[in-house]
Amino acid sequence: MMNWLSAWWRGGTPVVEPASGRDTARLAQLHGASFARGWGEGEFESMMSERNTLVHRFRLGRKTIGFAVSRIGADEAEILSIAIDAARRGRGLSRALLLTHLGHLAGRGVRTIFLEVEENNQPARRLYERAGFVVVGRRERYYKQPDGEQLNALLMRRDLS
């Protein structure tokens, strides 16, 4: 799949790989541009130092254009965040990132994945539904917006085995 992406982008080969401490500034920038409450560099550094956290970056050529972060507990994991640069959304890149990330989680023995998604975020919901996630719960007024509005979250699950 990555070969046609490389030809299509002409900006280098797309690669999903483990993130490192050198990526924290870019990951924080991507997160801040994607969510109402962005995570800072320190939060990414802290997560990357934890043994039970898996962080991948999605690189196109030399530029990091996305990331996925999950926390693992026994044979379960929770996707904490996934983001793609706004200029590159809507082109199937988040699906490639998500599926590769899920493959790495499965390789670590994870059998069940959970995540929370804002109820009205239709692009993200479609991404997760197409990747096999199903809604298993709802959290009322879970996400607080800068203007004080509180939005509902859906709890989604996917079994890998």
Side-chain angles (χ1 to χ4, degrees):
M1 178 167 92
M2 293 297 185
N3 287 339
W4 72 265
L5 281 173
S6 180
W8 188 52
W9 284 107
R10 295 183 201 138
T13 303
V15 177
V16 176
E17 60 194 1
S20 74
R22 293 177 303 202
D23 298 311
T24 57
R26 178 63 177 147
L27 301 183
Q29 180 185 38
L30 286 165
H31 196 274
S34 299
F35 300 99
R37 188 203 127 355
W39 296 342
E41 289 181 50
E43 289 168 288
F44 277 100
E45 287 172 3
S46 178
M47 283 185 286
M48 284 190 224
S49 70
E50 298 172 3
R51 292 177 142 197
N52 66 334
T53 303
L54 184 63
V55 183
H56 282 109
R57 68 178 182 170
F58 192 165
R59 189 171 45 81
L60 184 61
R62 295 178 147 191
K63 184 162 175 78
T64 297
I65 62 165
F67 69 86
V69 180
S70 292
R71 183 163 287 134
I72 302 167
D75 65 347
E76 295 182 348
E78 178 184 9
I79 295 177
L80 302 177
S81 190
I82 185 168
I84 292 286
D85 187 287
R88 311 236 189 226
R89 292 183 192 152
R91 299 176 184 168
L93 296 171
S94 57
R95 180 173 169 78
L97 171 60
L98 175 61
L99 294 178
T100 302
H101 189 70
L102 292 177
H104 284 274
L105 289 169
R108 289 192 172 198
V110 171
R111 300 179 74 180
T112 306
I113 312 285
F114 294 94
L115 61 85
E116 290 150 349
V117 62
E118 194 269 303
E119 186 173 45
N120 296 326
N121 186 341
Q122 293 303 319
R125 287 183 61 186
R126 277 191 302 275
L127 168 68
Y128 298 132
E129 288 165 1
R130 289 177 181 158
F133 285 85
V134 295
V135 175
V136 295
R138 185 171 186 227
R139 297 178 191 217
E140 297 289 326
R141 299 180 1 222
Y142 184 75
Y143 293 111
K144 292 183 182 181
Q145 301 301 297
D147 65 1
E149 182 181 12
Q150 295 179 322
L151 305 174
N152 299 330
L154 297 177
L155 178 61
M156 300 184 83
R157 171 187 174 148
R158 176 179 169 182
D159 293 327
L160 296 178
S161 57

